[in-house]
């Protein structure tokens, strides 16, 4: 039976959709710092960029984004927009023009409505799946239409699910016959397929469904270049149709463009929410992981000393910090260590 499991910890909700022992989908929701996808805003045009086919606009919180629009825009003009792509990969929000709010004459930049959370998005994708959630506070924040499906539990993730979720942040994945290594860059994501045995054409084909699932679970998007294992360059175009079949069930509908002259398989997958590796490895992600470890291991201490990025991330998410303090029933003091490595922290 398909189930949605929502494991809540200070500042984030890790979501896993499972069918028996099979992981179908994952999501990561940070209520204190949502990614903004499909949020509805009134924005103000900051700079018109005709060569780029749109304009840079400013939102209510001072954040900026790029609005793709063919209409004539004027600096200082107010415009109704929705977020079509979250900030990621060093790039800001991407926006699309939206309908104007009904009976609205206020042109002040502001947030009109939030888009669906990652948990709500997965709940809509699997409309018959019960939602197991281990935090009543987070459950109360969900849309009323989902409440009949909620089932309270003591712990949403077991040790296996914890391990599977963590592994999605690693640089490699076991595909069975092959191993995939992932190399994100600012321009694209390179994926190298390899094996300790003697990989062949059929081995690559057999590994494509597992590779497609890893791409989906990790939310790898943009341009993907896949280097098959042990297949001569002239034979690689024949792999394209098999890869297309493997990605056919992905809800973001990736496009397999073909093989490059050098034999790399080129795929484009729409960018919507940030990729999982970026969320987990960011200062915010590492800071929230530290809070989760402290609670899980019941570590003692009231002074959290950490690097500049980690302390700044915690300070920017007061909801997470307050939830952490509430769960421990003890105050915490944040101490900044300017000489610490970016990911380092200690509790004393």
């Amino acid at each position: 039976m398909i189930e949605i499991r929502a494991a809540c910890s200070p500042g984030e909700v890790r979501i896993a959709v499972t069918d028996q022992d099979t992981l179908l989908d994952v999501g990561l929701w940070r209520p204190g710092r949502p990614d903004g996808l499909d949020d509805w805003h009134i924005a103000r045009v900051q700079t018109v960029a005709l060569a780029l086919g749109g304009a840079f606009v400013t939102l209510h919180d001072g954040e900026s984004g790029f609005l793709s629009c063919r209409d004539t825009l004027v600096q200082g003009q107010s415009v109704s927009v929705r977020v079509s792509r979250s900030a990621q990969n060093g790039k800001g929000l991407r926006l699309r023009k939206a309908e104007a709010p009904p009976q609205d004459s206020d042109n002040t930049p502001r947030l009109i409505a939030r888009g669906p959370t990652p948990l709500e998005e997965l709940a809509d994708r699997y409309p018959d799946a019960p939602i197991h959630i281990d935090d009543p506070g987070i459950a109360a924040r969900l849309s009323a239409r989902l409440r009949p499906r909620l089932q309270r539990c003591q712990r949403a993730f077991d040790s296996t699910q914890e391990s599977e979720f963590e592994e999605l942040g690693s640089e490699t994945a076991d595909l069975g016959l092959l191993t995939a290594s992932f190399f994100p860059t600012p321009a694209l994501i390179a994926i190298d397929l390899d094996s300790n045995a003697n990989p062949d054409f059929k081995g690559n084909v057999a590994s494509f469904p597992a590779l497609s699932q890893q791409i989906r679970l990790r939310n790898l998007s943009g341009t993907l270049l896949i280097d098959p294992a042990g297949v001569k360059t002239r034979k690689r175009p024949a792999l394209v149709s098999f890869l297309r079949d493997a990605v056919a069930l992905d809800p973001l509908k990736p496009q397999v463009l073909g093989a490059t002259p050098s034999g790399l398989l080129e795929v484009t997958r729409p960018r919507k929410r940030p990729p999982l590796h970026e969320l987990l490895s960011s200062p915010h992600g590492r800071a929230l992981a530290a809070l989760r470890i402290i609670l899980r291991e019941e570590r003692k201490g009231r002074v959290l000393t950490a690097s500049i990025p980690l302390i700044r991330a915690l300070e920017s998410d007061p909801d997470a910090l307050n939830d952490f303090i509430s769960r421990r029933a003890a105050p915490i003091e944040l101490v900044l260590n300017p000489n610490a490595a970016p990911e380092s922290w200690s509790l004393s």
Side-chain angles (χ1 to χ4, degrees), residues 45-57 65-75 94-95:
V45 176
Q46 178 182 355
T47 305
V48 177
L50 295 176
L52 299 177
F56 293 95
V57 301
F66 184 77
L67 170 63
S68 297
C69 181
R70 295 183 179 181
D71 298 341
T72 301
L73 299 172
V74 179
Q75 186 174 358
R94 289 296 295 266
L95 310 159

Side-chain angles (χ1 to χ4, degrees), residues 79-91:
V79 59
S80 176
V81 299
R82 282 191 181 270
V83 177
S84 58
R85 189 189 75 188
S86 302
Q88 55 191 275
N89 196 30
K91 300 181 175 70

Side-chain angles (χ1 to χ4, degrees), residues 296-346:
R296 185 177 63 212
E297 299 180 359
E298 299 182 349
R299 297 193 186 185
K300 306 300 181 182
R302 296 194 176 190
V303 178
L304 178 59
T305 304
S307 64
I308 294 175
L310 295 194
I311 295 296
R312 293 288 180 257
L314 289 175
E315 291 174 339
S316 69
D317 193 350
D319 288 355
L321 211 51
N322 291 335
D323 186 19
F324 174 74
I325 293 170
S326 176
R327 288 171 185 253
R328 293 186 85 217
I332 190 77
E333 179 185 356
L334 302 181
V335 175
L336 189 152
N337 180 0
N339 298 318
E343 70 279 0
S344 70
W345 61 272
S346 63

Side-chain angles (χ1 to χ4, degrees), residues 5-203:
R5 310 199 68 85
C8 307
S9 58
E12 70 181 7
V13 181
R14 294 171 297 152
I15 310 152
V17 183
T18 61
D19 185 0
Q20 301 296 333
D21 296 328
T22 302
L23 189 59
L24 302 179
D25 256 318
V26 301
L28 191 59
W29 172 29
R30 290 174 176 164
R33 289 178 58 183
D35 60 30
L37 184 65
D38 211 32
D39 284 357
W40 188 7
H41 294 266
I42 296 296
R44 178 163 289 132
V45 176
Q46 178 182 355
T47 305
V48 177
L50 295 176
L52 299 177
F56 293 95
V57 301
T58 303
L59 306 182
H60 71 288
D61 54 3
E63 189 172 8
S64 63
F66 184 77
L67 170 63
S68 297
C69 181
R70 295 183 179 181
D71 298 341
T72 301
L73 299 172
V74 179
Q75 186 174 358
Q77 173 186 348
S78 295
V79 59
S80 176
V81 299
R82 282 191 181 270
V83 177
S84 58
R85 189 189 75 188
S86 302
Q88 55 191 275
N89 196 30
K91 300 181 175 70
L93 298 171
R94 289 296 295 266
L95 310 159
R96 67 180 187 277
K97 203 165 184 182
E99 69 279 9
Q103 300 178 347
D104 187 86
S105 59
D106 183 4
N107 293 327
T108 306
R110 66 193 187 282
L111 175 67
I112 298 173
R114 287 286 185 194
T117 68
L119 180 52
E120 290 167 337
E121 183 180 293
L122 289 172
D124 290 340
R125 188 176 299 169
Y126 300 92
D128 299 323
I131 303 170
H132 300 266
I133 190 165
D134 54 18
D135 187 317
I138 294 296
R141 299 177 67 160
L142 296 178
S143 171
R145 64 185 175 83
L146 296 181
R147 288 173 190 166
R149 297 167 57 185
L150 298 183
Q151 297 185 15
R152 282 291 314 282
C153 61
Q154 192 69 28
R155 187 180 176 200
F157 279 11
D158 59 24
S159 58
T160 299
Q161 290 155 349
E162 288 278 359
S163 177
E164 287 180 334
F165 201 99
E166 291 297 325
E167 287 174 3
L168 293 174
S170 69
E171 297 177 350
T172 62
D174 183 1
L175 307 180
L177 295 175
L178 301 179
T179 298
S181 299
F182 305 95
F183 303 95
T185 74
L188 54 85
I189 295 176
I191 303 174
D192 181 41
L193 302 184
D194 204 355
S195 172
N196 291 329
N198 294 317
D200 57 10
F201 190 96
K202 291 183 179 180

